Amino acid sequence: MAQEDYDDYAAESVEPDPWEPVNRAIFSFNDTVDRFTLKPVAKVYDRVVPEPVSNSISNVFSNLGEPRNLVNDTLQGKFHAAGIDTARFLLNSTVGVLGVFDVATKMGLQRNDEDFGQTLGAWGVPSGPYIVLPLLGPSTVRDGGSRIPESFARYTYVEQVDHVPTRNTAIGTALVDTRASLLSREKLIRGDRYRFVRNAFLQNREFQVKDGEVEDPF
């Protein structure tokens, strides 16, 4: 890493969480809501739903996210990745029966995970301070702002379903399935829960924005 790059990184990392008191309060609120609502449901879901079924559900919603990956790949100039995501979506939507089976991965087409926050980061937009959003969880100023355009694309096909109960059931299932997938990761948390989650989030976002090319300045 060049000296000027390190200086920029260091300057941005000096105080990544200037609003910690407010963030901690929101984190505590989110944690309480999760503990008494979503987490118990996710535990039952994880215990009752057979793994092949839960994997298929995860595959379906991952497939619905492929167009988002495609758009952000294109915006970042990653045209090879965009081609892979296009092929994945077409294969899994047809041969994979609307995404129930992830045949693309078995064919060697690995999934990319891109969002508009990563696109802004690739364009040089700094992450800004760490923030905790009510009910939505960890974020940064950059990523929080990116949620606005992201919200128009998230589960686009599900939200177009006219039958309200069916649409709400699908969105709720996606939420519970995602929460269930995080249960095992919670066991890794050590020490101050707030700081552990914050540091893990910030490190993971930097890794994603830089496509894993994160150098240790030390």
Side-chain angles (χ1 to χ4, degrees):
M1 178 181 290
Q3 182 61 42
E4 57 269 22
D5 292 336
Y6 171 72
D7 290 342
D8 291 341
Y9 175 83
E12 187 175 338
S13 302
V14 169
E15 185 54 74
D17 190 8
W19 305 320
E20 183 172 342
V22 175
N23 283 335
R24 279 187 176 273
I26 299 175
F27 178 85
S28 179
F29 167 77
N30 288 349
D31 204 39
T32 300
V33 172
D34 176 69
R35 189 182 311 125
F36 290 103
T37 56
L38 191 55
K39 187 175 181 178
V41 176
K43 284 185 173 180
V44 173
Y45 174 90
D46 188 57
R47 185 167 57 249
V48 172
V49 178
E51 186 173 353
V53 176
S54 64
N55 287 342
S56 295
I57 292 173
S58 297
N59 289 341
V60 169
F61 288 105
S62 291
N63 190 54
L64 290 176
E66 295 291 4
R68 181 200 67 176
N69 293 332
L70 168 60
V71 169
N72 284 290
D73 280 332
T74 304
L75 291 174
Q76 295 176 44
K78 299 177 180 177
F79 301 113
H80 177 69
I84 290 177
D85 290 332
T86 300
R88 283 185 54 85
F89 184 66
L90 293 175
L91 281 169
N92 287 342
S93 297
T94 54
V95 181
V97 192
L98 300 179
V100 172
F101 305 103
D102 186 3
V103 296
T105 296
K106 295 180 179 180
M107 295 176 64
L109 299 174
Q110 297 301 318
R111 183 176 189 270
N112 298 294
D113 188 9
E114 300 287 347
D115 55 53
F116 195 57
Q118 292 178 59
T119 296
L120 293 177
W123 289 350
V125 178
S127 67
Y130 176 74
I131 57 176
V132 180
L133 300 173
L135 302 179
L136 298 177
S139 189
T140 62
V141 171
R142 179 191 66 209
D143 291 343
S146 74
R147 286 177 178 267
I148 297 174
E150 283 277 317
S151 66
F152 290 103
R154 188 170 181 82
Y155 305 136
T156 301
Y157 302 107
V158 174
E159 293 172 351
Q160 287 179 349
V161 175
D162 293 329
H163 190 253
V164 176
T166 300
R167 182 176 67 230
N168 291 343
T169 298
I171 294 175
T173 300
L175 185 62
V176 172
D177 181 71
T178 299
R179 184 62 183 88
S181 70
L182 298 175
L183 291 173
S184 60
R185 301 183 190 181
E186 287 188 289
K187 300 176 182 178
L188 301 175
I189 297 178
R190 297 289 183 273
D192 186 329
R193 184 179 178 86
Y194 170 83
R195 289 191 177 183
F196 187 99
V197 172
R198 179 194 65 191
N199 294 343
F201 173 82
L202 292 175
Q203 291 171 13
N204 184 58
R205 287 304 285 172
E206 182 184 23
F207 183 89
Q208 291 176 326
V209 169
K210 296 183 178 180
D211 294 325
E213 297 179 3
V214 179
E215 299 182 31
D216 187 348
F218 306 103

